[in-house]
Amino acid sequence: MTRRTKAWWFRAGVAIGMVMLTAAALRLWTRYPGDVDPVGGGFALVGTVLAVISWWQAQRVADTDVQAAGILLARRVLTEERAQRAQLLGGKGSDVVIDVDFFFRPTGGSLSAPPSGTLTQVADYFRGLREPRRFVIAGVAGSGKTVLAIELVLKLLAGRQPDDRVPVRISATSIDPDVPVRTMLARHLTATYGLKPVMARTLVAAEKILPVVDGLDEVDETDEPGYGSRAARVLRALEDYEHGPDRCSLIVTCRTGQYDALVADRAVPRGVVRVDVGTVTSDKAWRFIQAVTDQEDPDRWRPVLDALTRDGHVLADALGTPWRLTLAVSVYEERDPLTGRYVRSPEVLTEFADQSSVREHLLGLFIPARLAAAAPAGKGPTAERTHAWLAVLAGYLRGNVGRPPFHGRVLSGTDLVLHQLWPLAGDRPRVVGALVALATCLPGVGVVVALAVLAVSQVHIVDGRLTGAAVGALMLLLLPGVVAVGLLLEPFRAWREVWSTADEAGFRRLRRVRDRRKAVVDGVLAALGGCLAGAAVVMEFGTALPLWVPVVFGLLFGIGMATGRGGQNGDGGSWDGADPRAIIRGDVVSTLVAALTFGPGFGFILGIWFAELLDGLSVATAATGSAVFGMSLVASWSPLLARRYLGFLLSTRGRLPWRLGRFLHRCYDAGLLRISGVAYQFRHRELQDYLAEHPLPPKNATNDQINAHTGIR
């Protein structure tokens, strides 16, 4: 169901609820008259409505406060980027950064820069540039471009003033050059950092966002992108994104070869400072290894350290980037969980003849080494299964690079977003999602059909007139009947709606103070209406039920209305720290809570009416049937994402784990994946490419060779 359709149904429900509430209040007033002034009651009602409208307007004004929104966004960006920095640097020695040399190359205007510098000097130099500040971080694969971008974001946030722009890192592969940059940034702020759409649009319109586009080299499958490449189109879209009369400030990371090709075709932004990331020198590699390895046993790494300082040795180039150096340390610092002895000897690295052999060797052992370090007791899937499952995902991402748009959307070549992974199985998840929608709507439709048959069977004509009870039952069936028709249409909508509007914005989680207040207000109003309607029904028909029964079910009705409204509102963002599982989890939880509260509450109120109007229908049976109808209604109109994700899991049996989110988060905890917003990404593109090329884990022959050197310590 689209957002517009849901909004229409919500407004219709509010209007019907107001009519029922007014009718219940008038009925109680006429049946139990008292010293109540109707004029005063009317003024009180109008005052309450005006107070609610004033509160809502105050909330809208607060959401458009640029400085407050900027502070909120900066705090959330800082929290997430700190977590990603720690994850990329690894658990042991996580504070140790290989501070390689950086070479500044201004490319236009009166820009000037020192010839080289360190990490701290890069941040200071960027902060000292005149507007627009434009950086391109270039380097070879594994040189630490993403780490530098994160460090730059953290240092800019550390000294940020209230009016400064907020640096926001975004994956280049998630940028659609055909979508305006302003729209793309607003969606990214909503989906990744949980900002309300009005708040995100306000920040973008006020030009308070500094885009940090990470991984421009990953948007094309060629090593020499030209003027017509997608990377060039992304750069042109950013070039057209203006801040007032000036070009926008931005930071871009890209591999050296790809950026040189774009420069040759004049497809790069103007007035930028290019920062080339240098290689790891032997002395810095030596210091890094000594800093992160066991100081009580320095001789273990002595052969490798000697090889790094030897002219012409293959390791000087093979371990010449921070990624490869970190990879080697991760593999050869693995210990046996029982004895504490090292599983491998670094001396093996000195026996390879070329860089590709070192690369294949380290990547083949990276997964078992990281899993052993994260879970020494061996809990979770084995290294072989982990390798096979990650290889399926890596192959899917590789296939997305250069792939034509899938149902009108360009698929990412790096991002693993849980609710957007279903194209891996083709259109089968859409079919399964439609079948799930059909299965959830049938119970509700069956209840309406049964009530309609019972009501029609009791229609009797006496003296040319229909009995009042039968007419009342048929009139009461009008609204559930219309809803039942809508439920039957839901499977067709589930199939027709290829991309849910909610997958761009996520779902609102009741974490912020304003959201909690809004949920409380919605719940209180709905609970009062439910209690009043239930009490009116009890008093009208004179049932033997005590008054606390309608109060309880009215409260359930209110909780369900508030939860369902918050959970199905696509206007909010899901921000739960560094946990991309929050969107699917929030969808499922909000649907279950709404179904288990709204269903019984709605069923009680509606069931009593039918029990009194239809002969032979007890209150318990009517309330139970109506509760089933309410739960079916909530489950059928739940957001598309959970149904599509369930269809994806069912369609990939045998290829991926059933609890895919839990598996991916375990891989994140083990250092195999990283998190960017609401997406998982492979720790490094080299690891992703390796898994795509090697769907099966390496055989034990390599380990047999290694075991010959493991007799030490």
Side-chain angles (χ1 to χ4, degrees), residues 119-132:
L119 183 61
T120 303
Q121 291 172 320
V122 172
D124 293 339
Y125 178 70
F126 179 85
R127 192 179 285 112
L129 287 175
R130 292 179 298 176
E131 295 285 351

Side-chain angles (χ1 to χ4, degrees), residues 78 82 127 152-161:
L78 183 63
R82 279 177 176 172
R127 192 179 285 112
L152 194 54
V153 169
L154 293 177
K155 290 185 181 299
L156 292 177
L157 289 175
R160 181 182 180 272
Q161 299 299 319

Side-chain angles (χ1 to χ4, degrees), residues 259-541:
Y259 191 74
D260 288 340
L262 293 170
V263 170
D265 284 347
R266 298 182 179 180
V268 297
R270 295 171 292 168
V272 302
V273 173
R274 173 173 170 176
V275 181
D276 285 325
V277 184
T279 58
V280 180
T281 60
S282 299
D283 59 331
K284 290 187 176 182
W286 186 301
R287 288 196 296 268
F288 174 75
I289 291 176
Q290 287 184 330
V292 301
T293 56
D294 192 351
Q295 296 298 308
E296 297 179 358
D297 191 11
D299 292 336
R300 286 190 67 247
W301 286 88
R302 180 71 59 182
V304 174
L305 297 176
D306 292 341
L308 290 174
T309 58
R310 196 181 311 159
D311 293 338
H313 198 282
V314 64
L315 284 185
D317 293 329
L319 303 183
T321 63
W323 158 245
R324 291 278 184 85
L325 200 56
T326 304
L327 190 63
V329 171
S330 298
V331 168
Y332 283 98
E333 285 297 292
E334 180 185 352
R335 296 194 181 203
D336 187 280
L338 298 178
T339 64
R341 294 180 178 180
Y342 291 105
V343 177
R344 307 174 185 91
S345 170
E347 187 178 357
V348 176
L349 289 173
T350 63
E351 301 177 1
F352 292 97
D354 51 57
Q355 292 189 48
S356 61
S357 298
V358 176
R359 169 186 176 273
E360 297 286 318
H361 168 74
L362 292 177
L363 290 173
L365 295 174
F366 184 60
I367 290 179
R370 292 309 308 165
L371 291 179
K379 296 181 179 180
T382 62
E384 290 76 13
R385 284 192 174 185
T386 300
H387 183 112
W389 290 337
L390 289 179
V392 172
L393 298 173
Y396 163 71
L397 294 177
R398 166 172 282 194
N400 289 342
V401 178
R403 176 182 182 177
F406 182 78
H407 289 293
R409 174 171 294 190
V410 177
L411 301 179
S412 174
T414 58
D415 294 350
L416 298 171
V417 183
L418 288 176
H419 58 274
Q420 294 179 356
L421 279 178
W422 62 268
L424 187 152
D427 284 324
R428 289 183 61 189
R430 295 176 60 200
V431 177
V432 177
L435 293 177
V436 172
L438 179 63
T440 55
C441 78
L442 287 180
V445 175
V447 170
V448 174
V449 171
L451 289 175
V453 171
L454 184 60
V456 171
S457 66
Q458 296 184 11
V459 172
H460 300 290
I461 300 178
V462 180
D463 296 333
R465 297 181 180 181
L466 297 176
T467 57
V471 173
L474 292 175
M475 293 296 294
L476 190 60
L477 268 173
L478 180 61
L479 178 60
V482 174
V483 173
V485 174
L487 292 181
L488 286 175
L489 294 177
E490 189 61 25
F492 299 98
R493 296 192 187 101
W495 165 258
R496 185 182 58 187
E497 188 178 0
V498 180
W499 299 103
S500 172
T501 55
D503 66 359
E504 298 174 352
F507 298 93
R508 175 168 298 168
R509 303 292 304 279
L510 305 180
R511 295 203 179 260
R512 297 183 295 277
V513 175
R514 293 171 185 170
D515 290 334
R516 288 195 294 267
R517 290 175 180 173
K518 185 179 185 305
V520 170
V521 171
D522 291 344
V524 168
L525 293 178
L528 289 176
C531 293
L532 187 57
V537 172
V538 172
M539 294 179 180
E540 170 67 20
F541 295 109

